[in-house]
Amino acid sequence: RRRGIPEAVLADGKTPAEVASMAMAALETTGRVLVTRADDAHVAAVTDDLPADATVDHDERARTLVVHAPDFEPPDLDATVAVVTAGTSDAAAAGEATVLARAVGATVDRIDDVGVAHLGRIVDHLDTLRAADVVVVAAGREGALPTVVAGLIDTPVIGLPVSTGYGYGGEGESALGSMLQSCTVLSVVNVDDGFTAGAQAGLIARAISGARDE
Amino acid sequence: RRRGIPEAVLADGKTPAEVASMAMAALETTGRVLVTRADDAHVAAVTDDLPADATVDHDERARTLVVHAPDFEPPDLDATVAVVTAGTSDAAAAGEATVLARAVGATVDRIDDVGVAHLGRIVDHLDTLRAADVVVVAAGREGALPTVVAGLIDTPVIGLPVSTGYGYGGEGESALGSMLQSCTVLSVVNVDDGFTAGAQAGLIARAISGARDE
Amino acid sequence: RRRGIPEAVLADGKTPAEVASMAMAALETTGRVLVTRADDAHVAAVTDDLPADATVDHDERARTLVVHAPDFEPPDLDATVAVVTAGTSDAAAAGEATVLARAVGATVDRIDDVGVAHLGRIVDHLDTLRAADVVVVAAGREGALPTVVAGLIDTPVIGLPVSTGYGYGGEGESALGSMLQSCTVLSVVNVDDGFTAGAQAGLIARAISGARDE
Amino acid sequence: RRRGIPEAVLADGKTPAEVASMAMAALETTGRVLVTRADDAHVAAVTDDLPADATVDHDERARTLVVHAPDFEPPDLDATVAVVTAGTSDAAAAGEATVLARAVGATVDRIDDVGVAHLGRIVDHLDTLRAADVVVVAAGREGALPTVVAGLIDTPVIGLPVSTGYGYGGEGESALGSMLQSCTVLSVVNVDDGFTAGAQAGLIARAISGARDE
Amino acid sequence: RRRGIPEAVLADGKTPAEVASMAMAALETTGRVLVTRADDAHVAAVTDDLPADATVDHDERARTLVVHAPDFEPPDLDATVAVVTAGTSDAAAAGEATVLARAVGATVDRIDDVGVAHLGRIVDHLDTLRAADVVVVAAGREGALPTVVAGLIDTPVIGLPVSTGYGYGGEGESALGSMLQSCTVLSVVNVDDGFTAGAQAGLIARAISGARDE
Amino acid sequence: RRRGIPEAVLADGKTPAEVASMAMAALETTGRVLVTRADDAHVAAVTDDLPADATVDHDERARTLVVHAPDFEPPDLDATVAVVTAGTSDAAAAGEATVLARAVGATVDRIDDVGVAHLGRIVDHLDTLRAADVVVVAAGREGALPTVVAGLIDTPVIGLPVSTGYGYGGEGESALGSMLQSCTVLSVVNVDDGFTAGAQAGLIARAISGARDE
Amino acid sequence: RRRGIPEAVLADGKTPAEVASMAMAALETTGRVLVTRADDAHVAAVTDDLPADATVDHDERARTLVVHAPDFEPPDLDATVAVVTAGTSDAAAAGEATVLARAVGATVDRIDDVGVAHLGRIVDHLDTLRAADVVVVAAGREGALPTVVAGLIDTPVIGLPVSTGYGYGGEGESALGSMLQSCTVLSVVNVDDGFTAGAQAGLIARAISGARDE
Amino acid sequence: RRRGIPEAVLADGKTPAEVASMAMAALETTGRVLVTRADDAHVAAVTDDLPADATVDHDERARTLVVHAPDFEPPDLDATVAVVTAGTSDAAAAGEATVLARAVGATVDRIDDVGVAHLGRIVDHLDTLRAADVVVVAAGREGALPTVVAGLIDTPVIGLPVSTGYGYGGEGESALGSMLQSCTVLSVVNVDDGFTAGAQAGLIARAISGARDE
Ligand SMILES: Nc1ncnc2c1ncn2[C@@H]1O[C@H](COP(=O)(O)O)[C@@H](O)[C@H]1O
Ligand SMILES: Nc1ncnc2c1ncn2[C@@H]1O[C@H](COP(=O)(O)O)[C@@H](O)[C@H]1O
Ligand SMILES: Nc1ncnc2c1ncn2[C@@H]1O[C@H](COP(=O)(O)O)[C@@H](O)[C@H]1O
Ligand SMILES: Nc1ncnc2c1ncn2[C@@H]1O[C@H](COP(=O)(O)O)[C@@H](O)[C@H]1O
Ligand SMILES: [Mg+2]
Ligand SMILES: [Mg+2]
Ligand SMILES: [Mg+2]
Ligand SMILES: [Mg+2]
Ligand SMILES: [Mg+2]
Ligand SMILES: [Mg+2]
Ligand SMILES: [Mg+2]
Ligand SMILES: [Mg+2]
């Protein structure tokens, strides 16, 4: 598929049978498929249907399933994406972003649990952040972390708001609003949309890798 | 008046004549009055009507007018409030908070333009922050600054969201949401409500000053 | 931990195993841990894992679990927090606030079921209210009680909106809006956020207690 | 006109000429007309056009104009409506309600500036409140007053939310929400809708007056 | 209890045991109690606990339980409330309103399934409508029925918006908005708030009945 | 232009010069142009620039300007659109819809001031309504009229919500919500979008006229 | 029934028994009935109750049940409706629209999975689109497809927004907003309201078929 | 300044004097300054104050002012940003983005008026789009254009929603929602935030240019 982004099936809201049949079709046509937001039944249905020689990678926390046909050659970029989380609750969205960026071929570095309540934590990882070509920052609640990160480094930062929290703004609206209003330079994806965050980071990494190869 | 908070007239939405007459009544009854959100016409109407011996203090940026009868003895607390701003646009709300906290009798220390885009700036003022008994932090746009401040100090912090910004969440909703969702411990007032922020900080300062005097 | 606020794990949205392991880590590092919004499975997982000599305090209504290592010396302040509820439905949020304020070391006085439909009830408790150093008022539906309380006393009041109600504004937005728009001086926390209300009250109590000790 | 409610022209958003011509038409057909939300130009246009023998009553604060043909006999009910305000900013909406209730024929008693910040004030007027057959309570900001009033008396209460305030909920949504969520029994009209509040109070007064006459 | 409105326990969100104990307390103090939004478990818990001589009236569709002590003398007014529904889905809210108005002592006439899609239906009931002293109109979806009814009769009308519908405005906001914006004279209660609609209609009926008795 | 819909310039938010130059370009390319939401300055700029032989039709209330080159042959359909308004305030949006439907070639019948507060009015026009091939119904406030009309006739009805009203839902959201939730069959356009309502009615009239011609 | 639209029972939120009895009543009166949003229990209850000679058509994906009495003669129009979907998730709403348009008597052509991410797909079906008399386009997420379709053809287009998506605007608000703001000419129905989309398309088809028959 | 993004002063909401003094300070410290959202008074104040040898570039439509000290050497990247608009109303936001991307040193190619109502237009510019390293797409109303563009090319796309439109979603919420829900891969900035769109595109171009130089 164009752009190096794998065909993906959003399992949530579909029956296991529907997901399995859509996944098989994509696998046959493109040599691989990604299933996102998969629950146990989706995972079972897809893996049951697979040809014996396919390889499957299931990430429970990210709720993703990556399937490759035996002859599929995954893309391999000369570029790195850093994926950063503020806290434990950001792990699912950040995991989805990680899977996507890797699927596009980027190397992914994870930096976890560096929320702004303890500023020292993020400062400790400045070297890893600076070594990355593009950075995805996942944060829920007040969503301040991407703003702080983009104030510390020169690299493009993508904000990934997460639907942790409760009460006013607690389904990710506050985190989304923070990132859209950020006083540092960020672009943003929708709440919990690790897919787009990782894919967009992957596309940027791909452009940089391409420039390195020129 | 109880609590040490002066009678206050919110000028916005009232005619100059209404404001002047309400201000005179409060001045006569309680020995002082505070006019907030006053424009030039309000200021003129109030000052025109005043007895010759009253003292007037007009803060243009804060849009406040503080009037004292000659015999009024302002309260004087043994406690300090720090009022912090993220940027220039927070000056009006922070000014209103400053006027209120002073009216309750607190000493006020201002720390300005220390927004989270440049983390070094707020860190440079840690000593002043730590010396305060209570801290008001005004911030617009993504409103991240109170969260960061409350992660750095042991003092009670009051978040004051400001209606700078535009687009999604740009009338202060994002700043309010950030502060209500903060991953550090804050209490909050309404958007642009410097009055309540300063008064609440003043009440806490008053309780602390009272305890010092016990 | 700084500020006297215990490490806390928000159990809601995490698996029992995750909560138990985070709780153990906090207990080992800081000598105590607080688990909030814990359901039966969370409680079981945490208590199963505990060392035999730890003490556990489970408040079913508040859904909190307070765990102390044998050698932990809880802070003890010379200051009182009053926690007030308008009705039965405010008990969970008020309970969380109570647990937090106690964890910071304050003495907590509870005043329950004094909603504004029967004004006499709150007036009957004026002595207790006046004896407190800081007051938390939990109210759902129209959220009028904190406004009325702050009109009666000289002490700092923190409004804690509760998500009781239905229809327009029924998930706590009306209560939150009432408190943010209050015509008396209040600061506010997010809907159902007993954690922050209790912690902020605790920080104020701590500042007052410190001033008493000077 | 049926129900005893006068034909009314909402001037806001119409040109002076349109309003004048609609008012004349109503005056001719029904013997009277009410113009609401009239600015100076509307008032001038309507009064300019009037027949010499018409009587005109212009209430500047309520922004209403009541015009009677010489032979019009206004309805006269044996029933009283109390119209209560929390503060000065509620005067316009309460004034509109007063004009409407009077136009339907009720006697109107006004009780002003009895907001909940000073509970004593409303309690001082309990006799007047109890003497009324129906009560309209106008309040802005947190809109708590109708809830408190309905807890004190046995009469039907109509809540009239007013668009004073700023920030979150500051265009009357908080006041409306408070009244819809009230823990006492109220019915409600739209924000600033003194017209409907006064007319509905008038209709109830009319039913009671009719019952008195049976 | 004052106003003739029975003590009521809102069962939804409380445990059966809590509801039963609150109901018993009210029954003992006031001779009767009303339980609203009761599910099967609430009904069982309350009826299990009752003294043998209490009378119980359970309305399954309205989800109400009315309990009288043997010596309780229900109020009996000389006034009628009409309760009107647009369709089947309005039955629960209308049922709650009916139970409340009856509890206050009014005679209740029901007119069902007369939505505006078939104008003839409501017109067929004009005599019943005109015979009533006050009218409650329940409607979901576009909520047009109360507006139409109030255009047809001279009696006070209370709009009761119902949360039927889906998509934009489908949780009752469209119905509520319609009623608040109505071009005829209505007062309104919150979405699904049959309790307040019935109680307010009861209070008006009570005032009219009182006037009849003068 | 395809579909028979004229090139249109939305003047609002553009400078007179921009509008005039865009209008001239469209006139030259397509033989006619429509300018909508034009204020006096827009009208002056466009008419100043026009070639002497162009014909101009300015509808002040609808704020439209229709310009034809001398050789332009307007489309002429064998089909009728009825455009209905609830009240005076709906005239601008209904006027825009009228201009559009005529521009597509339909005959337009207007039925004005037949709001649901007086059901008799709309019933009086049933013959005109039934004679139309498609009906546009403009209504503000509670927006009930299109629902009532669609219950009376067999023709396709398009709801056009208008931004009259104030308070909750007063910028057309209640009218829009009513129409989207209608219990009769309607399709809808955006608030105040007379352009789309008239154009869509025109397209349907065009399809019917085409079928008549087969 | 007038307009050729069958009596329909919206099963969602009703008990199986209620639905069955309403369906039987409609079947007896009008010779047919449509049940929408039926789950398995609704289907079972309705089919159990049916007379042996009735014909039943259950569409699982559309969640509809179409029941005809043996002597019912379905309407048969000389007009075609195209029903288009952007993706798999639009199938339920599009299916409901299909069932409705067929029930009114139109021929329905389906064009599936032609979302705007791959522009070639919709362009491949231009002939089918052009052959239709009216087009319904179902789309979720960003809801761009109806705008693109209406830019390609001369036929009336009805936008049907679908509640796929998550995060900001993810319950169909973004799709609805896109269609209401469309820069091409569309009319719109509520989110997931396949019923109204199909019925309105059917009414337009019926008008065109009638014109063909003249 | 770090990241190559010039110091920028947001003039809107500041006085001309404030803007001029902030601009001078930035010019002196960093050798250049950017003023955004400048009206005529801001422009006059800034240019009046400038040293004679500074160069000024005022873009009226974009409302920007770029000022360089004589010795300032603007950055010059080996990378291209395409800035695309759907229509005339997107010119201001797109202009701001253009100025920013150029200030960071990128070459900018503009593609204007290629909205989705006429698919052919955007397809005609595929070569320019494919030649760019990163693409900013500005669109108002339904905001469909970035989704379509991202479906056509392999390059990273940034969506820039614009506040054209009226009625539901008309202040840019629909455009923002469309882009956040896009079924192709996009990252997004806030409504009308050409500053961030251009700056983020510039940062990506800078990373690519850096990779080309390695
Ligand atoms: N019930 C609660 N409400 C608000 N904040 C909480 C609550 N419980 C814990 N917290 C705070 O949330 C922080 C992060 O929680 P966690 O998601 O568990 O890492 C904790 O360290 C506490 O400061
Ligand atoms: N201030 C007001 N608020 C609410 N409704 C009003 C007001 N003034 C007039 N009305 C009602 O609005 C109806 C329609 O007004 P109009 O737009 O003037 O035709 C009048 O007949 C009154 O019933
Ligand atoms: N799925 C649906 N969506 C929208 N309207 C419907 C649907 N199904 C039925 N209706 C309409 O809703 C009306 C009232 O439904 P009910 O609540 O069953 O009385 C029916 O007569 C239909 O006109
Ligand atoms: N038009 C704009 N939109 C968004 N951000 C801006 C704009 N103009 C300037 N900024 C940013 O806002 C920051 C703070 O602006 P100021 O309020 O002027 O201190 C500047 O340093 C820029 O990074
Ligand atoms: Mg964070
Ligand atoms: Mg900040
Ligand atoms: Mg209360
Ligand atoms: Mg009040
Ligand atoms: Mg209805
Ligand atoms: Mg209407
Ligand atoms: Mg689409
Ligand atoms: Mg577009």
Side-chain angles (χ1 to χ4, degrees), chain A residues 2 153-154 187-188 212 214, chain H residues 2 154 187-188 212 214:
Chain A
R2 242 202 36 244
I153 59 172
D154 286 347
S187 64
V188 179
R212 283 203 177 106
E214 278 170 24
Chain H
R2 242 203 36 241
D154 286 347
S187 65
V188 179
R212 283 205 176 104
E214 277 168 24

Side-chain angles (χ1 to χ4, degrees), chain D residues 86-102:
Chain D
T88 314
S89 319
D90 308 316
E96 204 182 58
T98 299
V99 168
L100 255 294
R102 284 194 179 129

Side-chain angles (χ1 to χ4, degrees), chain D residues 14-70:
Chain D
K14 304 205 175 88
T15 65
E18 285 172 335
V19 171
S21 110
M22 293 172 78
M24 281 304 293
L27 185 65
E28 273 159 35
T29 331
T30 70
R32 67 165 161 171
V33 68
L34 180 62
V35 183
T36 63
R37 313 218 161 181
D39 62 25
D40 290 349
H42 293 123
V43 173
V46 174
T47 46
D48 267 23
D49 271 23
L50 282 184
D53 55 2
T55 61
V56 193
D57 196 353
H58 178 212
D59 182 327
E60 224 179 302
R61 218 172 201 184
R63 298 179 57 200
T64 54
L65 209 59
V66 179
V67 186
H68 283 186

